[in-house]
Amino acid sequence: MKNIIFTFKDGSPKYKQIYEQFKLFIEQGDIRTDEQLPTIRQLAESLQVSRNTTLMAYDQLVAEGYIRGEGRKGYFVNELEPALFQQGTAPRNEQQTESTTPVLVNFRADAIDQAHFPLKAWRRIANRILTLQESFQYGDPFGEVCLREQLAAYLFQSRGVKANAEAIIIGSSTQQMLIHLGHILKEDFPSVIVEDPGYDGAREAFQFHRLHFETLPVYETGADFSQLGQMQSRLAYVTPSHQSPIGVSMSIQQRQMLVHWANEIQGYIIEDDYDSEFRYTQRPFPALASIDAQRVIYLGNFSKCFLPGIRLSYMVLPQPLLNRYKDRFRHFESTASLLNQLTMAKFMEEGEWSRHIKRMRLIYRRKMQHLAAGLKNEFKENISIIGEQSGLYLLVKVHMEHSEEWLIKQASSYGVKVCPTSLYVVNNYSVRPIIKLGFSSLSHEEIQLGVQLLKKAWS
């Protein structure tokens, strides 16, 4: 094969430049079909780069079909039609070039740890459930009694919520339950107080019913209740145990203030307790619904703490709303899988759920600490970390003269996917950009690599 001569340019990762140069050689026919490429070690030595750099370039070429790996023989060029690349080839714009960068580390916040998922226990129970007669029928429109009974016991033990199984409704997701709930609330409650910043999925559900918004500002120090008494809404949606996305927890004084407000105006609080299982410094805080079950609508789910694809959520309704809800939806089928409900009920009954939560709390705490320590070591005073006490993600406030868009784009160019927080904001924007880093699905090695790549990207 002809000698490969590279002149590296500043501003672009070296693996990306190697990948693009080989891609050009292949498309132009300079490297022919079935021709063998240099080994990873040979190429690394000739270009004076690390083996990991050349491996990343080859991996991308393999993924796109330009080359193939043949075991211990090495890498070879696949057959292409060079003329297709030579005719009408337009210069690639910046966006197209970026899309070819492989994602090496994805700090997504919507995934769980696959390596420690209790697959054997879940499969064993699920197989047994499929032998039961009730698995071959339509289920209860409000959720299977066996799961509602298990949830009632669990909520009392873990969250202090005294709930009768009849008051629990099972559904497929938090958004779906909010949309259903909106049908029985919108006539009496034309507006709702939402946290700012706050969960955008809840706002979308409220907008579905054309509810008007009033905003409750939330900062790193907590929510600002100073204007609560002047607001017109009698309905409030909050995430008190682990505010989404800021991560702060509502103090007992604020919880009592909010419950007092709801009683005084005869309103309701929708408490979204989406990931309260994972608190790393103290025991999970008692739920708002444990203070006043008559004025709090309690929401929970199995997506964050167990498996997103299971599509199981639940809510506990105060009696007046429960009667209206059942009257409205008694003729509708359940939106949650019958098989998953029955399996989860038995999973909880046999103690597998409690064992899983205890195990994952320890695993996620170690990942949280590893990520936080790595960020502090690499960035020092250039960042502030928000939300180390609980949850499955960290927020990073960046004290550099860069926008959120630039930080995300630059991270992507180095193969790191990070998440914005601006989408959670209504009006209460931060002076400095804040980036969201989920860690639950990553190994310690991936977390370390991701932090190192972010250091290079943002420097």
Side-chain angles (χ1 to χ4, degrees), residues 16-163:
K16 185 176 179 182
Q17 296 184 53
I18 296 171
Y19 148 78
E20 289 177 341
Q21 190 63 62
F22 271 102
K23 183 177 177 181
L24 184 62
F25 286 152
I26 296 169
E27 289 178 353
Q28 292 179 343
D30 294 331
I31 305 178
R32 299 178 180 178
T33 301
D34 295 327
E35 190 169 351
Q36 186 172 7
L37 301 183
T39 67
I40 290 171
R41 181 183 58 80
Q42 290 170 342
L43 185 61
E45 290 177 353
S46 66
L47 299 181
Q48 296 184 340
V49 297
S50 70
R51 294 185 188 183
N52 190 49
T53 299
T54 54
L55 176 61
M56 288 164 58
Y58 276 10
D59 281 349
Q60 183 63 22
L61 290 167
V62 170
E64 295 188 17
Y66 285 91
I67 65 174
R68 66 186 182 276
E70 294 188 359
R72 297 184 178 181
K73 293 182 180 180
Y75 292 90
F76 298 84
V77 176
N78 286 328
E79 183 177 1
L80 297 173
E81 288 289 342
L84 293 177
F85 299 103
Q86 294 167 0
Q87 296 175 2
T89 302
R92 288 185 237 146
N93 61 34
E94 190 176 352
Q95 183 177 0
Q96 289 174 322
T97 302
E98 285 175 4
S99 67
T100 63
T101 304
V103 178
L104 303 176
V105 180
N106 191 343
F107 283 106
R108 61 191 300 173
D110 59 350
I112 55 100
D113 187 312
Q114 182 178 356
H116 295 91
F117 183 78
L119 182 60
K120 290 183 179 179
W122 183 261
R123 182 179 289 167
R124 170 178 55 80
I125 295 172
N127 288 340
R128 197 192 323 155
I129 291 300
L130 276 171
T131 66
L132 303 178
Q133 182 179 358
E134 54 262 43
S135 296
F136 296 83
Q137 305 170 358
Y138 286 97
D140 189 305
F142 305 115
E144 297 310 294
V145 173
C146 56
L147 179 56
R148 288 190 272 135
E149 288 175 344
Q150 289 297 322
L151 280 170
Y154 171 70
L155 290 176
F156 179 66
Q157 177 268 327
S158 68
R159 311 296 292 119
V161 177
K162 296 178 182 178

Side-chain angles (χ1 to χ4, degrees), residues 239-301:
T239 51
S241 292
H242 182 232
Q243 200 277 332
S244 176
I246 298 298
V248 293
S249 297
M250 199 177 287
S251 69
I252 184 60
Q253 291 82 3
Q254 289 178 320
R255 291 165 188 254
Q256 290 174 336
M257 183 187 305
L258 197 56
V259 168
H260 176 75
W261 165 83
N263 276 284
E264 193 172 56
I265 63 170
Q266 297 295 289
Y268 287 103
I269 304 162
I270 302 174
E271 176 183 16
D272 189 348
D273 207 22
Y274 66 100
D275 72 348
S276 62
E277 286 84 1
F278 300 123
R279 185 166 186 84
Y280 310 120
T281 52
Q282 306 94 15
R283 286 180 56 83
F285 290 175
L288 267 178
S290 69
I291 301 175
D292 189 336
Q294 297 306 308
R295 287 295 160 191
V296 178
I297 301 164
Y298 182 88
L299 299 179
N301 69 76

Side-chain angles (χ1 to χ4, degrees), residues 199-216:
Y199 174 41
D200 57 319
R203 293 202 305 270
E204 290 293 334
F206 296 136
Q207 285 179 330
F208 181 83
H209 293 292
R210 293 183 170 83
L211 299 185
H212 299 291
F213 292 151
E214 291 185 281
T215 57
L216 181 71

